[in-house]
Amino acid sequence: MKIFTTWFIFIACIFFFTITLYTQGLRFGIEGGLTSITGPTSYTTSVADNGEGFGANYNYGAQLRLDIPLVPLTPIFFVDYHMLKGNGSSGSFTTNTSQNILSIGVEAEYILLPLPIIKPYASIEGAINNIGDLKMDYTGGSTSQGKMTRLGAAIGMGAIVTILPIFDLDVSLKYHDFNLTGSEPSIDAFSLNVALIL
């Protein structure tokens, strides 16, 4: 039932974007930034202390935005890819850890102050997250834990900065929970991103 609900919401969002594409302005953005893992404890603990050693890592993605005239709410369809990596030594072993998270979802940005050049906003998003294998490569071998798909959400704040009439910058800070569903420990993170919007 959960899978059916997830796909229904996803298809409804795609349908919404397709319909409004013909009546509103569509803009494209590319983005990149930092993803800082805050939980679970096993992810933030150093490799030397038998953790994954994930700290500040990189992410990149793309977005489609619908600018609706005279409406302070901007719906966004996005695809983001978070690359988590860690490394360290434990005894005589050198270990490299990694895990990737692919997020596909929808976001709503609500403009708080419609200023001419800088428009601060608050945002909320929902996503389907494909959380990849958790891998550990160490001297003499490797291990991995299976991938999973989970629903996630994020809240954030940011600002749209108009640089030139042909493009804007979207600067944002968000707090993510990548696995709201499921019985495993919650994977949480802050992300700091900059998107170039054309």
Side-chain angles (χ1 to χ4, degrees), residues 13-186:
C13 291
I14 295 296
F15 177 76
F16 169 75
F17 274 89
T18 302
I19 294 299
T20 53
L21 171 63
Y22 294 99
T23 59
Q24 307 296 339
L26 182 69
R27 303 183 72 187
F28 175 74
I30 53 173
E31 64 182 353
L34 298 175
T35 301
S36 180
I37 296 295
T38 59
T41 304
S42 60
Y43 277 33
T44 58
T45 302
S46 68
V47 171
D49 292 325
N50 298 316
E52 310 303 334
F54 294 150
N57 297 270
Y58 298 104
N59 71 73
Y60 60 89
Q63 56 179 249
L64 287 174
R65 308 168 60 92
L66 293 173
D67 285 344
I68 305 172
L70 304 178
V71 175
L73 188 67
T74 302
I76 300 167
F77 173 75
F78 68 86
V79 178
D80 288 336
Y81 192 67
H82 302 265
M83 299 171 290
L84 312 181
K85 296 185 183 297
N87 61 72
S89 298
S90 180
S92 59
F93 294 98
T94 298
T95 302
N96 295 308
T97 61
S98 65
Q99 187 172 46
N100 298 321
I101 301 175
L102 174 65
S103 295
I104 301 174
V106 291
E107 177 182 0
E109 290 182 356
Y110 184 81
I111 300 296
L112 302 174
L113 292 172
L115 302 175
I117 297 176
I118 300 177
K119 298 177 178 66
Y121 67 80
S123 69
I124 187 169
E125 68 181 49
I128 299 173
N129 297 312
N130 182 0
I131 303 170
D133 292 332
L134 177 58
K135 299 178 181 178
M136 299 184 69
D137 297 316
Y138 52 88
T139 307
S142 64
T143 61
S144 67
Q145 297 179 17
K147 61 183 66 175
M148 55 189 174
T149 300
R150 296 289 185 266
L151 293 178
I155 56 173
M157 56 187 296
I160 303 294
V161 182
T162 300
I163 305 298
L164 293 172
I166 58 172
F167 70 87
D168 296 330
L169 291 180
D170 183 349
V171 182
S172 65
L173 176 66
K174 299 176 183 176
Y175 177 74
H176 302 262
D177 187 331
F178 289 111
N179 55 336
L180 284 172
T181 57
S183 59
E184 63 281 342
S186 181

